[in-house]
Amino acid sequence: MQKDLTALALGTFALGIAEFLMMGILGNIAGSMNVSISQAGWFISSYAIGVCCGAPALLFARKIPLKRLMLLFAAVIAVGNLMAAFAPGFVTFCVARFISGVPHGAYFGVGAIVARKLAAPGKQSGAVAFMIAGMTVATLVGVPAGTFISTTMSWRIAFVVVAVAGVLTFIAIHRWVPQVPGLEDLGFKGQFRFLRTLPPWLIFGGVLFGQIGIYCWYSYIDPQLTEVAGFSAGALTWLMVLAGFGMFAGNLIAGRLGDRFKPSAVAAWVQASAIPVLLAFYFFADIKVCAVVLLVLGTAALFGSGSPLQSDIVGYARGGEMLGAACIQIAYNAGNAIAARIGATVIHAGFGYTAPAIVGLPIIFIGCLLLMILYRRYERT
């Protein structure tokens, strides 16, 4: 086992719990704070907004050693989630969620660069997938455990656990991650040069639209499983285990395929696979067996495009690698924030908890189209 990549994965494990725990306990926190489910959607959006605000700060960090940046991000993970654990009300909890999200995109952005530098030649996509696997393990183990803690004890204790994971990440990076070579410094303006070309924009667009489409459905998986499928609140623990298994499998399989085939093609087909899954979920979510199977398949598609594109963007962003890797996280989390609001609007309008799955379908198609253009024009040969 590579201790250096494991240390990076520990950070994505903490971030994974911080981000995805909310979907499994949204109703729990909404009830404790006396707000509606649609209002509680801000707990998801505020985290995503924090991601979008924190990642651009890497523009001013090009001269800071990469390991030092990773240590800073781990410290903010711990502080932000500790604040969430002790937040007294709706507004303060949203602020804490915003702070918790600030290091997310930057951590993934810098972590992808460090992972590629630590990887053997030809294994870069797999190394990035290993780092991202920490997040999928979080959804497989951490989120269900956090859901169990929240339903049996208190959701506040669950966020204390995330803060502890942030502290452990800081220690592991300090001890196990070596100093890696810095990036070529082309100056402040030089970081933007890669944006003059089309491929990065196709990646960002593919990520944004694909994420919006799938996340419209997944943002409200809690009420879909309890109110529509008829599962009890206690069943959410093992259901989140299955959701995490889908994410874990989707990430690792796509990461392996990304080293063998063109990343854009792998990501496009993964996103396309979500279209029939969400369509089926809309019609068959009230059948428990179907809801469970589609949950696993949908979460596999949600995470499957991540590692190929996270690795791919670094190759297209010479001179602005940190900005490019961070921007893809901005695209992911802007998609999350927009999706949560779209889903809340559809539910508030009275179309039901499964309606967001249908609303997301044409949006996913746009994302697939952009990634296929990237493949055919720039990567097929």
Side-chain angles (χ1 to χ4, degrees), residues 101-160:
V102 166
H104 184 114
Y107 187 98
F108 273 87
V110 177
I113 296 169
V114 174
R116 285 172 61 95
K117 288 181 176 292
L118 295 174
K123 301 294 183 181
Q124 288 88 348
S125 184
V128 175
F130 189 97
M131 179 194 73
I132 295 176
M135 175 170 275
T136 60
V137 171
T139 60
L140 183 62
V141 179
V143 171
T147 303
F148 177 78
I149 291 171
S150 299
T151 54
T152 58
M153 290 181 281
S154 170
W155 58 265
R156 296 183 184 277
I157 297 176
F159 281 100
V160 171

Side-chain angles (χ1 to χ4, degrees), residues 197-209 309 366-367 369-375 377-378:
T197 60
L198 183 60
W201 294 105
L202 292 173
I203 292 176
F204 299 151
V207 167
L208 177 66
F209 287 105
L309 294 179
I366 296 172
L369 182 62
L370 293 175
L371 293 175
M372 287 308 298
I373 292 173
L374 174 66
Y375 168 69
R377 291 192 59 179
Y378 296 97

Side-chain angles (χ1 to χ4, degrees), residues 131-305:
M131 179 194 73
I132 295 176
M135 175 170 275
T136 60
V137 171
T139 60
L140 183 62
V141 179
V143 171
T147 303
F148 177 78
I149 291 171
S150 299
T151 54
T152 58
M153 290 181 281
S154 170
W155 58 265
R156 296 183 184 277
I157 297 176
F159 281 100
V160 171
V161 172
V162 182
V164 172
V167 173
L168 294 177
T169 300
F170 184 96
I171 296 171
I173 291 175
H174 178 71
R175 294 189 62 181
W176 293 342
V177 175
Q179 295 289 351
V180 296
L183 299 172
E184 183 181 5
D185 186 5
L186 300 180
F188 184 81
K189 293 182 179 180
Q191 296 179 89
F192 296 90
R193 288 177 188 166
F194 75 97
L195 294 175
R196 299 174 184 174
T197 60
L198 183 60
W201 294 105
L202 292 173
I203 292 176
F204 299 151
V207 167
L208 177 66
F209 287 105
Q211 194 74 359
I212 291 173
I214 303 177
Y215 225 80
C216 274
W217 158 70
Y218 192 67
S219 291
Y220 298 94
I221 197 64
D222 177 347
Q224 289 171 354
L225 293 174
T226 54
E227 301 295 331
V228 179
F231 288 102
S232 67
L236 285 175
T237 298
W238 67 265
L239 288 169
M240 290 300 101
V241 172
L242 295 177
F245 173 77
M247 295 179 187
F248 181 79
N251 172 65
L252 289 186
I253 292 171
R256 295 287 181 88
L257 292 175
D259 281 329
R260 295 183 60 187
F261 304 101
K262 300 300 182 182
S264 55
V266 173
W269 283 110
V270 167
Q271 287 189 6
S273 70
I275 295 176
V277 171
L278 298 194
L279 183 63
F281 193 92
Y282 177 78
F283 287 106
F284 302 112
D286 57 338
I287 303 173
K288 288 186 176 181
V289 173
C290 293
V292 169
V293 172
L294 294 169
L295 171 67
V296 174
L297 295 176
T299 51
L302 178 66
F303 258 67
S305 65

